[in-house]
Amino acid sequence: MPVDQLLEQLHLGDPRSVARAISLVEDQAEIGQHIMQGLDQQRLDGALTVGITGPPGVGKSTLTSALVEQLRQREIRVGVIAVDPSSPLTHGALLGDRIRMMHHALDRDVVVRSMATRGRLGGLCAAAGATRRIMAASGCRVVLIETVGIGQSEMDIASLADITVLVLAPGFGDEIQAMKAGILEVVDLLVINKADMPGASKLRFDLGREAAESDRVLETVAAENKGIEELLAGILALEAAFRKDGRFRQRRQQSRDKETVDRCLDLLRDRIAGLIRNHPPADMDPGVAAEVLLERILHIPG
Ligand SMILES: Nc1nc2c(ncn2[C@@H]2O[C@H](COP(=O)(O)OP(=O)(O)O)[C@@H](O)[C@H]2O)c(=O)[nH]1
Ligand SMILES: [Mg+2]
């Protein structure tokens, strides 16, 4: 299919064209760049990306699915990106996510994409960034990105998002001990899921006074759709506030810059590896070899 036609179908929301476009961009084909440049800028600006992160097992996928349900009730088209940073050997997690999204499988206004890190976080950020833009251009008003973990790398992926939601659950409080002070500085909303389980109020207490008193801490029972409407309302209220006070624009710029750096580093890594393969450095100290190579690479036109 010619790229113009693909773009036209994509902007009409055709699921297969969306999937095809994402694959072409992931393969870093030249056509991928044409696609990215042809995306409707207004739709990109208007769409909201929400990062949903937290330790495995707290209920992120269940919560994501419940949010999708809630959005669809409001007839809002939604994209979901499920990121699995584990090795390709544990595809079980990805599959689980897919199955949980199954009841949306026939809904053409729910666009789902899973991706694995393949050990390249920079590449992943770039891929997730491009994917959310394609989804947005296809008419998704909201794109949810589910990532596992609360480490720096997951926060990096989450930093792609306009709004970040950290999900915790009773029994998972230990994971955040190290960062509990100021946790609300890194995330926009904190969700205590599995509020039906004993320990939910203790978790809230453990998060400290700041968190306990904040209206940015919400409780949900994702498995029973409880608190989801309030969570969505909270997300949309934050979006409105951020758009008004300029933070939305500022974050978009930051995430674009970060994506650009990541993309550069990826390209550079490939090019350097190629150079070393073709012209193995003589018996040089790697530190010296790196200096020499970098000097050369920065002077060689692509
Ligand atoms: N009791 C209870 N269990 C839940 C809730 N939400 C999710 N779960 C269960 O927790 C387990 C992990 O959920 P999942 O969504 O896969 O977590 P993820 O690894 O964070 O994506 C599953 O067995 C869910 O059914 C909840 O609100 N309450
Ligand atoms: Mg999950």
Side-chain angles (χ1 to χ4, degrees):
M1 194 192 290
V3 73
D4 285 350
Q5 209 176 325
L6 182 66
L7 276 168
E8 193 186 322
Q9 289 301 311
L10 187 162
H11 284 106
L12 288 172
D14 172 50
R16 286 176 59 190
S17 303
V18 173
R20 178 107 188 87
I22 293 170
S23 298
L24 285 168
V25 171
E26 270 183 352
D27 293 345
Q28 300 193 342
E30 201 175 310
I31 190 173
Q33 289 191 10
H34 287 255
I35 292 168
M36 294 314 290
Q37 274 162 357
L39 299 180
D40 182 335
Q41 188 59 44
Q42 229 167 333
R43 284 195 182 166
L44 304 192
D45 293 342
L48 171 73
T49 305
V50 182
I52 296 173
T53 188
V58 293
K60 295 178 300 300
S61 296
T62 313
L63 192 79
T64 301
S65 191
L67 276 171
V68 168
E69 199 81 55
Q70 190 65 231
L71 286 158
R72 292 305 297 134
Q73 274 175 27
R74 299 191 188 194
E75 298 189 358
I76 295 173
R77 181 178 160 98
V78 56
V80 179
I81 305 175
V83 175
D84 179 32
S86 55
S87 79
L89 289 175
T90 56
H91 267 139
L94 284 179
L95 206 59
D97 288 332
R98 280 211 176 118
I99 288 167
R100 255 176 236 108
M101 302 299 297
M102 278 291 270
H103 56 291
H104 306 294
L106 295 174
D107 186 345
R108 82 194 284 278
D109 287 317
V110 179
V111 188
V112 183
R113 186 81 177 192
S114 296
M115 45 183 71
T117 60
R118 299 183 208 102
R120 276 171 58 168
L121 205 61
L124 178 76
C125 283
T131 299
R132 66 117 172 228
R133 278 196 283 278
I134 291 169
M135 287 178 171
S138 83
C140 294
R141 161 71 181 94
V142 175
V143 177
L144 307 171
I145 306 184
E146 180 193 334
T147 62
V148 184
I150 51 170
Q152 184 54 50
S153 47
E154 294 80 20
M155 283 299 170
D156 278 356
I157 300 172
S159 76
L160 279 174
D162 303 310
I163 287 175
T164 309
V165 178
L166 173 63
V167 187
L168 295 174
F172 291 85
D174 289 350
E175 320 238 1
I176 49 115
Q177 281 308 318
M179 58 184 296
K180 86 175 181 193
I183 199 161
L184 284 171
E185 284 163 27
V186 257
V187 301
D188 299 306
L189 289 170
L190 204 155
V191 169
I192 299 176
N193 188 41
K194 306 196 188 183
D196 56 321
M197 306 251 292
S201 49
K202 181 178 182 303
L203 174 57
R204 196 168 184 131
F205 177 81
D206 286 346
L207 287 168
R209 230 177 92 192
E210 182 208 10
E213 290 169 1
S214 171
D215 58 359
R216 289 194 286 131
V217 180
L218 300 165
E219 288 183 17
T220 58
V221 184
E224 295 167 23
N225 272 314
K226 284 189 189 145
I228 305 302
E229 207 176 330
E230 291 80 358
L231 173 59
L232 182 58
I235 289 170
L236 296 177
L238 263 187
E239 179 195 17
F242 288 172
R243 283 193 189 270
K244 205 167 165 198
D245 69 15
R247 258 186 287 182
F248 196 90
R249 210 171 232 293
Q250 192 187 338
R251 286 186 181 190
R252 276 283 166 100
Q253 183 64 50
Q254 279 170 357
S255 92
R256 234 191 330 262
D257 292 350
K258 186 182 161 355
E259 258 184 83
T260 308
V261 170
D262 287 344
R263 188 72 81 163
C264 280
L265 292 178
D266 263 8
L267 292 174
L268 209 53
R269 176 177 288 274
D270 289 348
R271 197 172 292 183
I272 291 173
L275 261 184
I276 292 181
R277 237 186 346 264
N278 294 335
H279 312 278
D283 252 353
M284 231 184 268
D285 171 75
V288 180
E291 294 274 355
V292 173
L293 267 173
L294 211 55
E295 187 72 14
R296 266 174 61 197
I297 219 164
L298 293 176
H299 286 95
I300 294 173

